[in-house]
Structures are given as C-alpha cells and as structure tokens.
C-alpha cells in the first residue's frame, strides 16, 4: 500500500501523502481492508 500511495504522490497527486501517512499507522487488519477496498488481489500474498 505504501507503493500504491507513494507512486500516486509522485505522479501528480500530492494529497496522497496524507493517505500514505495513514497507511503507515494502520494495523494489519486495517491494511487488508484498505487493500481489498482498492481492488488489490491479496491471493498472491498468501503464505
């Protein structure tokens, strides 16, 4: 998720820095929920 928002920040969306700071403070569960909300396929991260 850091890459997702970091890339947005440097590609013309400076407000993504606020989202990036939120991502850094999220719990694991919150990160999973955010990833799902953003359409990230989490299957490739299953160990």
């Amino acid at each position: 998720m850091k890459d997702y928002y970091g890339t947005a920040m440097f590609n013309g969306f400076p407000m993504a820095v606020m989202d990036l700071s939120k991502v850094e403070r999220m719990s694991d569960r919150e990160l999973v929920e955010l990833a799902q909300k953003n359409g990230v396929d989490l299957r490739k991260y299953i160990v």
Side-chain angles (χ1 to χ4, degrees):
M1 295 309 305
K2 286 183 182 180
D3 287 342
Y4 180 83
Y5 287 107
T7 301
M9 183 176 66
F10 289 109
N11 283 313
F13 298 98
M15 292 303 289
V17 72
M18 293 173 66
D19 293 325
L20 183 59
S21 66
K22 289 178 188 176
V23 165
E24 291 174 340
R25 294 188 310 261
M26 287 182 172
S27 69
D28 292 343
R29 177 179 221 107
E30 291 171 320
L31 283 171
V32 168
E33 290 173 2
L34 179 65
Q36 290 173 330
K37 179 179 168 184
N38 284 292
V40 175
D41 182 7
L42 297 175
R43 290 179 292 182
K44 63 183 175 181
Y45 299 101
I46 296 173
V47 180

